[in-house]
């Protein structure tokens, strides 16, 4: 008798740095760089550079900076 075992490769997980919002919930940005909801909620969007939040923000389509992000 021959037994066959199917072995699946382990799943790969990518973990981003976690940023806490004002209410203590965790906001996980996209894996790549891009515009995401501002975790501080002071603006509509904030730019995630792939490793940290930047000072670049946008509210109602108007770009600006907020260095305290």
């Amino acid at each position: 008798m021959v037994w066959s075992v199917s072995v699946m490769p382990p799943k790969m997980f990518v973990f981003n740095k976690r940023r806490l919002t004002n209410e203590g919930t965790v906001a996980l940005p996209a894996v790549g760089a891009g515009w995401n909801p501002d975790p501080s909620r002071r603006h509509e969007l904030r730019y995630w550079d792939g490793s940290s939040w930047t000072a670049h923000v946008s509210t109602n389509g108007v770009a600006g900076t907020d260095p305290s992000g």
Side-chain angles (χ1 to χ4, degrees):
M1 178 180 274
V2 176
W3 290 89
S4 175
V5 177
S6 176
V7 177
M8 299 297 291
K11 292 183 179 180
M12 299 297 289
F13 294 96
V14 177
F15 295 96
N16 289 321
K17 291 183 179 179
R18 293 179 176 215
R19 301 288 185 217
L20 295 178
T21 63
N22 290 339
E23 292 150 17
T25 59
V26 176
L28 296 177
V31 174
W35 290 95
N36 293 281
D38 182 10
S40 71
R41 298 185 183 197
R42 290 190 299 270
H43 303 277
E44 185 179 359
L45 302 171
R46 184 173 294 271
Y47 195 79
W48 173 259
D49 68 7
S51 63
S52 64
W53 293 108
T54 69
H56 302 285
V57 294
S58 176
T59 302
N60 296 323
V62 178
T65 58
D66 180 0
S68 59

